[in-house]
Amino acid sequence: MRKALVVLAALALGISGRGLLAQSCGTLLGRLPEEPYGSRRCSAVSGNYAYAANGLFLTVIDVTIPSAPSVVREIALPSDADEGEPVVAGGYLFLPLTSQPAPAQLLVFSLADPANPAQVASLSGCTNFRGGMELSGGLLYAADGSGGGLRIIDVSPPTAPSLVGRLAMPEARDVALYPTALATYAYVADHNAGVHVVDVTNPADPQEWDPPVLLPVPAGSGCEGVARVGDVLLVAGGYSGLRGFSLADPAAPTFVTSFDTPKYTEWVTAQGTTAFVCDSSGGLIALDVSVPSDPVSQAQIASVGMTFQLAISGSTAFLSEAFGGYQVVDVSNPAAMAQLAVWDSSEEASFSLWIDEPYAYVPRYTEGLAILDVSAPAAISQVGLWPNPEGSLTGIAVSGGIAYVAQRWGPGLHLVDVSTPSSPALLGTFAGRQGGHAAVSGTYAYLAARESGLAVLDVSDPADPQEVGICDTPGSARWGALALPSAFVADNGGGL
């Protein structure tokens, strides 16, 4: 797995006991890896090619032989194609972009030569395209996050897309359609609110009921995606797993079932009576939903990163693995899914870095703590790895040969012996809080514990760290720094 580390001449590499703060732009000395990849989250498949949204690049992959995918071309993008779902139809690729670093927009590519997509149009004026899309009758129904809501875009012809209707909502993530004899309905997943039921019979004037009809998910669990199987709506409910609603009355769906998943349900796609559920670090789960009130697990494929989305072509599923590349799976028999190939061209996400020359300590979000030799900045090499398959590592501090590694989901803080960089080993774990970042002074560790605030831990016994104090903060404590006797906390929603 290839990872990313950028070293700038302007960074002070030799300050032991401190994290890195870049004061100004510097000169690039080295990078690991050399390729400018991003976080692969979504893809679409057409014929012998897959089109993967890959950070600031659109990657074209030849999948003629599913067990041996290969890159054909990469196309630079003006903004991040991070979480938006590409759609292929009628010889065109519709690709939504987020608002970073350029304004959000919809790009349209001609696939006349499928190995060499050519951009033919774009549509600006969007808020933050981070969600799913569905194409029907020459109209593209798109989830536009950060207040954009449901956007209905006329793509006939694809070379001249135009906005025909919009309904605002806070954080739209995905959309599923249900055309009936009397009306057409759109079910829009809204991350914090649940699923909106919208009448889109008149695309120029999408309407919610008064009061709005919302299909709930448990508070704090997240609402990420939707898919329809006949008259049943399946909802990817984050920490609440998969939820099912009857569409016997499409205007007022009713809850019929739920299925708990091991991790965080990011996406759901249906094929026949099988629902394929992307469960983040839990991998891909195939469910038999022929009896909607009683979904039955058939098989599971382990994640190679964070299984975020999948596209199915015939009997082959192409899994977009955030921080893990691309996985190809045979789903001809959902009860016996089989991995055909793993194509890793991703970068691992790293949210923090600690330098103690000649080593850099990098908590990789899904893989573990990497120890890099940076004595030659132009030739960085990895010398050690402490694996952590649970993932979500975020912050780090190193003191006295021990790395204090914060973890967002799961145990809040790991104490890892790094006195021998080539063979780091776990000493102890504190599991009482979520972790954002850690700072250390003497025998105490100060953990930015997100919603819990700032936790003070006695780490005099590294095998058994104990909480000795807690200071609540207004928001979510993400980062901390010490200037004893004071601690400074970066508190998301609460300031400093």
Side-chain angles (χ1 to χ4, degrees), residues 406-457:
Q407 180 176 357
R408 178 176 182 180
W409 307 119
L413 188 68
H414 301 281
L415 282 66
V416 180
D417 183 351
V418 293
S419 57
T420 303
S422 60
S423 55
L426 181 66
L427 296 173
T429 293
F430 171 71
R433 310 280 183 184
Q434 289 185 345
H437 184 65
V440 181
S441 178
T443 58
Y444 293 95
Y446 301 82
L447 178 67
R450 302 185 70 86
E451 280 68 25
S452 298
L454 180 68
V456 182
L457 309 179

Side-chain angles (χ1 to χ4, degrees), residues 146-214:
S146 302
L150 173 65
R151 292 186 184 269
I152 304 175
I153 302 167
D154 188 345
V155 291
S156 56
T159 53
S162 61
L163 181 68
V164 296
R166 175 179 176 247
L167 182 65
M169 53 190 68
E171 198 62 51
R173 292 295 178 89
D174 195 14
V175 58
L177 297 178
Y178 190 16
T180 70
L182 299 178
T184 299
Y185 298 90
Y187 303 96
V188 184
D190 186 340
H191 179 64
N192 293 314
V195 180
H196 297 259
V197 180
V198 183
D199 186 336
V200 293
T201 307
N202 178 4
D205 187 27
Q207 293 286 331
E208 284 193 275
W209 278 256
D210 187 13
V213 176
L214 279 171

